[in-house]
Amino acid sequence: MKAGIITIGDELLIGQTVNTNLAWLGSELGNAGISVYKSTTICDQEEAIVSALDDYLEEADLVIVTGGLGPTNDDITKETLTSYFNTELVFNEPVLERVRQLFENQGKVMLDSNIQQAMLPKDALILDNRYGTASGMWFERDGKIIISLPGVPYEMKTLISEEVLPRLKSSFGVQGKYYQTLMLQGIGESYLAEKIETWEKRIYDDGLHLAYLPSPGVIKLRLTSEKGPKDAKKINAYFDELKKRFPHLVYGMNDESIFEVVGALLKSKNATLGTVESCTGGGIANAFVQYSGSSDFFQGGLITYSNALKAKLAHVPTELLAEHGAVSEEVAKAMAIGGKKQLGVDYVIAVTGIAGPNGGSPEKPVGTVWIAIATPKKVVAQHFLFGNHRGRNIEKTELYAVNLLRKVILEIDA
């Protein structure tokens, strides 16, 4: 099945809203075995909608349209589609009752504009939106399927998952792909590709597809089979090879967060964690507490951005700061040791670095970072040199620090 995606909204065109719907739809349809050949973002105007539909229906078997279904006057997708398919709007009592119940549950008064959301095309299959007032609409013409969905991401995603994909699979025999993703931290894409070149060749010889999905500090390796779940054992066996070869790099599967993985590891050992952060400004602590259950292991953190607070809060000796500078192995270790005592925890992550773009020197250029881990038995430290981009330096420091903690706990020799 060949599909096209049309996203509607001026806010998307001017960059006021990031078009996350398009990325999510492309991924979900692809995983379901539906080939997306083209996507377009257009303004909420009748001429633009009609022109895009005419274009797509020449080639596509399926067209998914998102956006333009709100209760305000500038949302005209429903009316445009009603005219396009030569039908009429009729009152839908079950939809009105659903919308009324939605407002009652929220303790709000339903307005006349919301009542109009129950006026829907007579010849469309109406898809129930349990999270919002705009219903999904399924049209068919000459063997083609056109589906209109609200642009609110969680509403659209629910309709795709609960209504659209199940109907496509049952009625049109759409066969989904099977894929698994391996998560790695601590290596660049080109370096990894060189290390697994022979392994990668075997992947393709075995009829599988490999995709590199890099981001700052993390690489995802996705293996896909067009044959579906029957290749699950084969894919898992290939990934098991990499887990054994690169335990210092591989930390999880399928978009697992390294912070969640390390948190689970700490909980399994009934161990506690604290942080002493300079260049990351509390980012490591913040990343851990995003996950429910983090209070089982995470006790707290010290933000010691200045030398004065490194000395005051983490008890770093002032003479050590004067002799070696804040960004040094000696100070990083002292931060970890002092933080462990002050916070009363089993493990401490301490980070100090030059995020940039200013502050570097020939001896310590921008991107220089020292990470130290204090454990119940020892203190280890590692030096990194990242780059010139402040945001990426901070993000990488957080990721490398947590992976270093993982390796220390598991006694993995990098």
Side-chain angles (χ1 to χ4, degrees):
M1 178 172 278
K2 190 176 182 181
I5 301 171
I6 302 171
T7 52
I8 299 175
D10 291 342
E11 71 280 6
L12 302 176
L13 290 169
I14 65 174
Q16 187 175 30
T17 299
V18 178
N19 196 348
T20 58
N21 282 354
L22 177 58
W24 187 87
L25 273 170
S27 175
E28 289 299 300
L29 294 176
N31 294 335
I34 300 170
S35 174
V36 179
Y37 83 104
K38 185 164 67 171
S39 63
T40 305
T41 301
I42 59 174
C43 60
D44 201 344
Q45 295 180 3
E46 181 177 2
E47 182 180 348
I49 297 171
V50 169
S51 176
L53 285 172
D54 286 343
D55 176 38
Y56 275 64
L57 289 177
E58 289 183 6
E59 297 184 64
D61 305 302
L62 168 68
V63 180
I64 293 183
V65 182
T66 69
L69 296 180
T72 56
N73 292 330
D74 61 332
D75 291 305
I76 63 167
T77 301
K78 179 174 66 178
E79 288 75 11
T80 301
L81 292 175
T82 300
S83 174
Y84 190 84
F85 290 103
N86 298 314
T87 184
E88 60 180 323
L89 293 174
V90 295
F91 186 72
N92 189 307
E93 181 64 41
V95 170
L96 178 62
E97 182 57 33
R98 177 183 62 75
V99 174
R100 180 183 290 114
Q101 191 63 48
L102 188 67
F103 276 85
E104 287 181 4
N105 291 342
Q106 296 175 354
K108 296 179 180 179
V109 177
M110 186 169 67
L111 304 175
D112 289 343
S113 59
N114 299 119
I115 296 175
Q116 292 302 310
Q117 294 289 64
M119 296 294 293
L120 293 160
K122 178 181 177 182
D123 297 325
L125 171 67
I126 304 305
L127 306 176
D128 189 35
N129 177 9
R130 58 192 176 93
Y131 288 127
T133 63
S135 299
M137 299 173 289
W138 177 305
F139 299 88
E140 293 189 27
R141 174 193 282 180
D142 301 328
K144 312 275 189 174
I145 302 168
I146 300 88
I147 301 171
S148 177
L149 302 172
V152 179
Y154 67 88
E155 296 180 26
M156 179 275 296
K157 291 177 181 180
T158 301
L159 283 166
I160 286 288
S161 300
E162 297 183 357
E163 297 280 350
V164 174
L165 288 180
R167 291 176 188 277
L168 290 173
K169 290 175 181 178
S170 63
S171 300
F172 299 92
V174 174
Q175 175 62 51
K177 300 176 183 178
Y178 178 82
Y179 71 95
Q180 292 285 290
T181 306
L182 191 71
M183 310 295 293
L184 302 95
Q185 196 287 318
I187 191 169
E189 182 182 7
S190 59
Y191 292 100
L192 178 62
E194 184 176 315
K195 288 180 179 292
I196 64 173
E197 184 177 0
T198 302
W199 179 89
E200 185 173 343
K201 184 179 186 302
R202 289 168 46 218
I203 292 293
Y204 290 110
D205 291 343
D206 219 350
L208 301 174
H209 176 71
L210 174 66
Y212 290 80
L213 308 171
S215 59
V218 170
I219 292 179
K220 304 175 187 179
L221 288 181
R222 188 179 64 205
L223 275 181
T224 304
S225 169
E226 301 287 344
K227 299 177 182 178
K230 66 181 181 180
D231 273 342
K233 288 185 178 179
K234 183 189 296 186
I235 287 176
N236 290 336
Y238 276 116
F239 278 155
D240 284 342
E241 289 184 40
L242 296 190
K243 291 177 184 178
K244 291 176 182 177
R245 285 180 60 189
F246 308 113
H248 57 295
L249 301 176
V250 177
Y251 69 83
M253 295 287 295
N254 298 327
D255 291 319
E256 282 185 298
S257 162
I258 193 168
F259 297 95
E260 192 170 17
V261 168
V262 172
L265 180 59
L266 288 163
K267 284 195 281 187
S268 72
K269 293 183 173 294
N270 293 316
T272 54
L273 173 69
T275 58
V276 181
E277 303 182 57
S278 182
C279 59
T280 51
I284 297 172
N286 179 66
F288 275 116
V289 301
Q290 297 302 310
Y291 298 98
S292 177
S294 58
S295 59
D296 293 340
F297 65 91
F298 187 73
Q299 299 298 295
L302 307 175
I303 301 176
T304 59
Y305 208 68
S306 69
N307 284 357
L309 286 184
K310 286 179 177 67
K312 182 178 181 179
L313 299 180
H315 293 186
V316 177
T318 54
E319 59 270 21
L320 208 64
L321 287 162
E323 182 179 355
H324 299 283
V327 182
S328 62
E329 178 179 6
E330 292 79 7
V331 168
K333 286 183 174 180
M335 290 167 65
I337 294 169
K340 189 173 184 298
K341 290 179 181 177
Q342 292 298 101
L343 297 170
V345 293
D346 299 310
Y347 293 90
V348 160
I349 298 173
V351 296
T352 179
I354 305 168
N358 302 315
S361 68
E363 296 78 20
K364 298 178 182 179
V366 168
T368 299
V369 172
W370 276 97
I371 298 170
I373 307 292
T375 81
K377 296 180 180 179
K378 61 183 179 180
V379 180
V380 299
Q382 193 168 354
H383 169 261
F384 298 91
L385 181 59
F386 294 131
N388 297 316
H389 190 281
R390 182 179 182 84
R392 286 196 292 271
N393 287 341
I394 293 172
E395 186 175 0
K396 285 183 176 182
T397 300
E398 294 168 358
L399 292 167
Y400 277 80
V402 178
N403 195 32
L404 181 58
L405 173 61
R406 181 186 69 88
K407 291 184 287 187
V408 168
I409 294 174
L410 295 176
E411 298 181 345
I412 295 171
D413 186 359

